[in-house]
Amino acid sequence: MHIDDLAAFSGWGAEAGRSLRAVGWLSSTHPFSTGRISAEVYAKLKLLLVDPWQPFVSCGVHPCELCQFDGPLGGANLFVPDGTKILVCPELITHSIAAHHYRPPDEFLTAVINCPETRTMEYKRLLLASGGRSLVGECRG
Ligand SMILES: [Zn+2]
């Protein structure tokens, strides 16, 4: 599945779509930006992906579309709120960075550094402040 970086992410309904922006939804048929990112951002991204909060259980896993052979599988998504919007990336983003030299947009890198750990109240509060009320509301129980 390909979505342009920072395009509206409409997979979870219109209300959520207003605050969600896609990052890292790459495919081999669309060009994407490449370059170095800091080891600090990469390490933080891996930390956030240890136990990513998700509003819904994702359906199915998908292999990396950039690998020619034996691409790793990923199904989870990471929601990174930045105070005004929520950036949504697939868990394979760390693989895309490490193996395919993908460079996410600067505002995503900044949001990752500033993002609280995913199972904290701070994280939930930042999600709500970033327009995630409909997402968090779906998550009861
Ligand atoms: Zn790959």
Side-chain angles (χ1 to χ4, degrees):
M1 172 163 89
H2 168 84
I3 310 173
D4 285 332
D5 276 350
L6 304 179
F9 195 101
S10 55
W12 285 294
E15 190 182 346
R18 278 195 289 278
S19 32
L20 296 176
R21 296 290 176 275
V23 171
W25 298 86
L26 310 179
S27 93
S28 59
T29 54
H30 292 75
F32 55 90
S33 61
T34 57
R36 301 187 74 80
I37 70 166
S38 76
E40 183 193 8
V41 175
Y42 184 72
K44 178 67 181 289
L45 202 45
K46 285 213 310 196
L47 179 72
L48 293 173
L49 278 164
V50 169
D51 187 14
W53 174 86
Q54 299 197 83
F56 315 105
V57 176
S58 72
C59 336
V61 294
H62 309 280
C64 171
E65 295 183 25
L66 306 175
C67 283
Q68 183 176 192
F69 301 112
D70 298 332
L73 299 170
N77 304 306
L78 175 65
F79 292 76
V80 186
D82 77 351
T84 61
K85 60 186 174 303
I86 302 167
L87 300 151
V88 188
C89 68
E91 66 176 319
L92 284 176
I93 192 168
T94 47
H95 166 79
S96 299
I97 292 167
H100 303 294
H101 302 271
Y102 167 57
R103 189 182 195 286
D106 284 332
E107 62 187 287
F108 175 77
L109 303 177
T110 304
V112 165
I113 286 296
N114 294 328
C115 186
E117 289 194 36
T118 53
R119 297 291 163 175
T120 61
M121 278 309 296
E122 280 174 274
Y123 177 81
K124 281 276 165 63
R125 271 197 287 269
L126 189 56
L127 266 182
L128 289 172
S130 306
R133 190 161 299 278
S134 67
L135 293 173
V136 176
E138 305 270 356
C139 193
R140 281 185 212 107

